[in-house]
Amino acid sequence: MKVAVVGTGYVGLVTGVVLADMGNQVIGVDNDPSKLAQLRAGISPIYEPGLEEVLKRTIQEGNITFTDSIAEAVEQSEVVFIAVGTPPAADGSPDLSAVKSVACSIASGIRSYTVVVNKSTVPVGSGGLVEGIIRDAGVPEDLFDVVSNPEFLREGSAIRDTLEADRIVIGAKRREAAMKLVELYAPLERPMHITDLASAELIKYASNSFLAMKISFINAISRICELCGADVGDVAKGVAADKRISPLFLQPGLGWGGSCFPKDVQGLLRVSQDFGYDFKLLAEVIEINESQTANFMDRLSKRLGGFSGKHIAVMGLAFKPNTDDIRYAKSLAIIERVLGEGGTVRAYDPVAAANVREIHPDIEYASHVYEVAEGADALILVTEWNEFKQVDLVRLRETMRQPILFDGRRIYSAATAVKAGLEYHSIGVASSVPAQ
Ligand code: UGA
């Protein structure tokens, strides 16, 4: 099938290369010339395991090309995906300006029947908005349909998530349009849910908000554990053993970040308000998430007697492992808190340091994990990269001014840390101190 994908960010690029790898003829569209040059050379502009290999392969096989002209790509395609960003505007509602301008350009390229697919996360009703823009641009109603096909891939496992999706959601007004996507996705052999437009749009927000709620719930339990002397690890395991709950997205820690959960929980809260429903639960989900890191840092501040004059080591900067994405990363809130209260920071991340350096040229960056803790008054584990799980804690401790470890993702056992001579503080569990 001939497919155009407008926007070569996470969602657009992964969708484009996977469809190309399935044998479709794909045109990727982006307005950033440097990104286009990279893509044409087979270089992925984002760090995502496996993505570059598929990109290179599909270019070599001639199944994917890149252009900056939406109209040109649309003219040659039967299905056109909109996969541009919908960042939160100042009031928390998703900013749809990129979606609107892309819809206008798509309208100018439609020559024969085209299915326009919205993959960007957009508020309920946006399918109608895109349809209205294309219709108002003079495209006859029988020449196009708008379909909502939300994306559920995770950064770090994007290719696998796309190939092995739990479900493919297709929301459309007319069955014929939905069937075009069923045909496109059929080789993946995944369960497909065909709904109306609004339901498909809401499935995306509800899914991300539910997952964020699960994490906030266990993080709230971790706070109770800290107060009553329970261990949230044992509590989470016991709760998750109930198949109806499941252990997935029940990992306590510093809270959720990234480009999706913060935007989508806020987005659903706003959308609900706009429709006249005050979704107070979501406001609390956000509040728990924000106070989780603040509480962790309060505990560290108390232990150190404030951050003024203290040197803090930060291990991990990305919002989660296997990505260089730092949007709403907890590392940023931590760095800002320490700097704001008169401390200094040295950080290390296997891939995300360059991105943080752009925002924070005011901290030091270690080029190796064993350099991060030199002279530190405390070491904070922020992102649970695999290489940190295997790290030699004795070697790290030997370089520190004070042997204090705050594990924000619960990746070390208290016994191992204490054996390495470190004071061990974590989330939802009592602190452990080596015997004097
Ligand atoms: C999330 C969803 O999982 C995807 O299904 C969805 O397609 C995507 O948003 C999107 O809307 O585009 P992503 O943001 O890549 O994917 O990352 P997740 O793996 O979901 O992690 C989100 C955050 O939750 C991270 O900060 C992670 O550290 C945190 N998390 C996750 C926890 O704190 N505990 C957990 O148990 C799981």
Side-chain angles (χ1 to χ4, degrees):
M1 208 177 276
K2 291 185 170 160
V3 177
V5 182
V6 184
T8 59
Y10 248 104
V11 170
L13 186 54
V14 172
T15 305
V17 299
V18 167
L19 289 174
D21 213 24
M22 284 157 60
N24 297 290
Q25 284 299 311
V26 177
I27 307 175
V29 190
D30 210 288
N31 56 8
D32 178 343
S34 65
K35 220 175 181 189
L36 284 177
Q38 276 184 300
L39 289 167
R40 286 179 183 132
I43 300 164
S44 169
I46 43 175
Y47 175 83
E48 177 64 36
L51 179 57
E52 201 160 278
E53 286 89 318
V54 195
L55 173 65
K56 284 200 163 78
R57 184 165 67 232
T58 50
I59 291 174
Q60 267 159 19
E61 285 167 357
N63 286 347
I64 194 162
T65 54
F66 296 96
T67 176
D68 62 357
S69 166
I70 297 180
E72 192 186 292
V74 172
E75 266 176 48
Q76 298 171 47
S77 306
E78 301 152 71
V79 177
V80 179
F81 285 93
I82 303 178
V84 293
T86 51
D91 66 353
S93 62
D95 177 358
L96 294 181
S97 51
V99 172
K100 288 181 194 163
S101 99
V102 165
C104 260
S105 305
I106 289 175
S108 68
I110 294 179
R111 300 281 175 274
S112 55
Y113 178 71
T114 306
V115 176
V116 179
V117 188
N118 208 345
K119 241 194 188 315
S120 305
T121 304
V122 288
V124 179
S126 301
L129 177 89
V130 169
E131 194 182 276
I133 291 172
I134 299 177
R135 204 179 37 235
D136 292 350
V139 181
E141 276 187 26
D142 58 350
L143 219 52
F144 75 102
D145 271 302
V146 174
V147 174
S148 166
N149 171 223
E151 184 50 64
F152 300 102
L153 64 80
R154 282 166 300 178
E155 294 185 14
S157 54
I159 301 276
R160 197 183 61 226
D161 287 348
T162 307
L163 292 173
E164 298 169 12
D166 288 339
R167 76 305 207 185
I168 293 172
V169 173
I170 302 169
K173 237 193 217 169
R174 294 197 309 146
R175 202 166 170 82
E176 295 82 331
M179 292 323 281
K180 192 86 183 163
L181 279 206
V182 169
E183 192 191 329
L184 181 64
Y185 286 125
L188 291 178
E189 297 181 3
R190 310 311 300 168
M192 303 213 202
H193 294 243
I194 298 178
T195 69
D196 58 86
L197 271 170
S199 301
E201 289 165 346
L202 198 51
I203 286 170
K204 170 68 188 189
Y205 274 117
S207 300
N208 273 0
S209 297
F210 191 88
L211 292 170
M213 178 186 75
K214 260 189 109 172
I215 302 167
S216 280
F217 185 87
I218 201 64
N219 282 341
I221 295 290
S222 81
R223 302 283 289 280
I224 303 168
C225 289
E226 285 166 18
L227 296 170
C228 75
D231 181 338
V232 73
D234 291 336
V235 176
K237 222 183 260 173
V239 170
D242 186 326
K243 286 196 193 67
R244 293 170 300 177
I245 297 173
S246 114
L248 301 175
F249 282 71
L250 210 58
Q251 175 63 43
L254 288 168
W256 37 270
S259 61
C260 308
F261 285 0
K263 166 174 76 74
D264 293 351
V265 180
Q266 192 71 53
L268 182 54
L269 182 61
R270 271 302 300 199
V271 163
S272 308
Q273 274 158 359
D274 291 347
F275 279 101
Y277 176 65
D278 187 7
F279 206 154
K280 291 197 191 87
L281 175 64
L282 291 185
E284 190 56 27
V285 166
I286 295 168
E287 209 291 309
I288 293 168
N289 192 50
E290 278 163 10
S291 69
Q292 185 73 354
T293 311
N295 172 63
F296 185 74
M297 292 305 283
D298 287 347
R299 288 171 51 209
L300 176 56
S301 170
K302 195 168 164 207
R303 172 63 190 86
L304 293 177
F307 290 119
S308 178
K310 299 293 183 327
H311 184 57
I312 307 299
V314 172
M315 214 151 84
L317 295 166
F319 84 93
K320 67 172 193 176
N322 296 323
T323 176
D324 62 353
D325 198 334
I326 55 157
R327 284 175 284 181
Y328 292 94
K330 294 297 177 182
S331 60
L332 301 177
I334 287 170
I335 291 168
E336 273 139 36
R337 170 91 185 255
V338 175
L339 296 183
E341 293 180 22
T344 52
V345 173
R346 180 181 297 144
Y348 173 74
D349 189 284
V351 300
N355 289 339
V356 176
R357 197 190 288 271
E358 283 178 22
I359 313 170
H360 278 293
D362 48 354
I363 66 166
E364 293 173 29
Y365 293 89
S367 53
H368 196 274
V369 67
Y370 288 107
E371 284 170 14
V372 74
E374 275 171 22
D377 291 293
L379 170 64
I380 311 178
L381 183 287
V382 182
T383 316
E384 66 277 32
W385 284 94
N386 270 339
E387 71 166 89
F388 297 159
K389 293 180 184 163
Q390 312 301 333
V391 89
D392 179 349
L393 288 178
V394 175
R395 200 170 149 194
L396 274 179
R397 192 257 301 148
E398 281 169 354
T399 65
M400 296 176 72
R401 186 151 64 193
Q402 297 195 65
I404 301 173
L405 170 62
F406 267 68
D407 179 356
R409 300 288 174 183
R410 298 177 50 91
I411 67 170
Y412 302 114
S413 78
T416 312
V418 166
K419 205 167 149 215
L422 286 156
E423 246 181 65
Y424 184 71
H425 306 266
S426 190
I427 303 265
V429 65
S431 299
S432 300
V433 180
Q436 291 304 312

